[in-house]
Amino acid sequence: MRAWRPRVPGVREVLHARMTDHAYPAHAHADWALMLVDEGAVSYDLGGRARIADRSRATLLPPGVAHDGRAASRADGFRKRVAYLDASWLSATLAGAVVDRPDRDDLVAETRMLHRALATPGAELAAEGMLVELSGRFAASPGAAIASVRDPALALRLRDLLEDRLVDGVPLAEAGRLLGAHPAHLSRSFSAAFGIPPHRYVTGRRVDLARRLLLGGHPPGEVAAAAGFHDQAHLTRHFRRVLGTTPARFAGSGARATRA
């Protein structure tokens, strides 16, 4: 079992666990619990109904509603990931609808992306943006499209704020307070205006900054911190994704061109 508190606004705790014989007694949480099952299956009771959670669905448990849990097959046990999200993540009025349908097979991919981001140092802004989008998806009827939000003036103000705080970063929750807008409205307005979510914009701009620093002769380890990346591995991962090469090779190509 591993548990930690990521630096993502609204995330109380993340738990990864492998269980075989343990059975959770009936209990309730103060937070929303967003669970993925990676191996095996979990048998649980919620709202007076017996249910099964497995790899084919994402499971959301509402605050204040009792549930239990056990391996559907003791021979196999189960492995799960759970993100405990602040009670304000979704409206309390949705608790009844979630009890009626806690398991969502249409949101598995998005939930897996969120859990990967929560477990990746340096991906805090990405995780926060995914949480914003998932809140809208869980609040909507299954299969319903989330309407695009157009507010170009607000999108430009957010872009300016992201540029001003490019290296240190600014969480969407803080940006919302500074700009007087809900984080979901901020994120969707930005995506509508610029074609990418805020975290991808920030990553691309940080890669731009890293390129300039590398060509200026700074070593990759120093560039990672100066450009706002968590560490050199974080820089290398995104640099390779954007440019198809590593920071060291990119810097080397600049040095060779100078000598030539």
Side-chain angles (χ1 to χ4, degrees):
M1 182 179 294
R2 176 183 172 223
W4 74 97
R5 180 173 290 176
R7 296 183 301 168
V8 178
V11 181
R12 299 288 193 178
E13 178 189 336
V14 176
L15 172 72
H16 290 188
R18 176 78 169 84
M19 301 284 187
T20 51
D21 296 329
H22 180 70
Y24 290 98
H27 63 288
H29 301 291
D31 311 306
W32 295 92
L34 182 54
M35 178 175 73
L36 283 175
V37 176
D38 294 309
E39 293 177 1
V42 178
S43 174
Y44 70 101
D45 294 316
L46 178 72
R49 290 178 54 190
R51 306 170 191 270
I52 294 289
D54 59 23
R55 283 183 53 85
S56 69
R57 63 202 81 184
T59 299
L60 182 64
L61 304 174
V65 180
H67 60 279
D68 58 9
R70 68 205 69 82
S73 168
R74 283 198 172 187
D76 299 324
F78 63 87
R79 184 164 59 88
K80 68 174 183 178
R81 290 177 277 174
V82 186
Y84 296 96
L85 310 175
D86 190 274
S88 63
W89 179 64
L90 280 182
S91 170
T93 61
L94 294 171
V98 172
V99 169
D100 290 339
R101 191 173 187 236
D103 301 305
R104 296 283 296 266
D105 56 4
D106 58 323
L107 297 179
V108 175
E110 292 92 335
T111 304
R112 290 196 183 282
M113 289 174 61
L114 168 66
H115 272 282
R116 281 197 295 271
L118 289 173
T120 303
E124 291 82 8
L125 182 60
E128 190 182 9
M130 292 172 194
L131 278 172
V132 166
E133 293 306 309
L134 273 171
S135 68
R137 295 291 303 279
F138 274 105
S141 300
I146 302 298
S148 176
V149 176
R150 297 198 175 276
D151 192 339
L154 180 63
L156 287 170
R157 292 171 63 204
L158 176 57
R159 186 191 65 180
D160 291 344
L161 179 59
L162 295 176
E163 289 286 351
D164 288 343
R165 301 272 294 272
L166 185 62
V167 175
D168 295 335
V170 55
L172 281 175
E174 182 182 348
R177 290 191 295 271
L178 292 171
L179 300 178
H182 191 280
H185 185 67
L186 271 181
S187 180
R188 290 166 191 156
S189 298
F190 191 94
S191 296
F194 297 106
I196 53 175
H199 73 271
R200 288 188 182 174
Y201 178 86
V202 168
T203 298
R205 293 290 294 114
R206 285 175 174 172
V207 169
D208 286 344
L209 176 56
R211 292 167 66 176
R212 294 197 299 272
L213 293 171
L214 289 166
L215 292 178
H218 298 274
E222 179 183 304
V223 167
F229 290 96
H230 178 75
D231 54 23
Q232 188 172 340
H234 187 214
L235 165 65
T236 298
R237 183 168 66 251
H238 287 290
F239 203 94
R240 182 184 284 121
R241 182 179 62 82
V242 173
L243 295 176
T245 189
T246 66
R249 288 176 179 170
F250 182 84
S253 70
R256 289 192 297 273
T258 301
R259 288 195 298 269

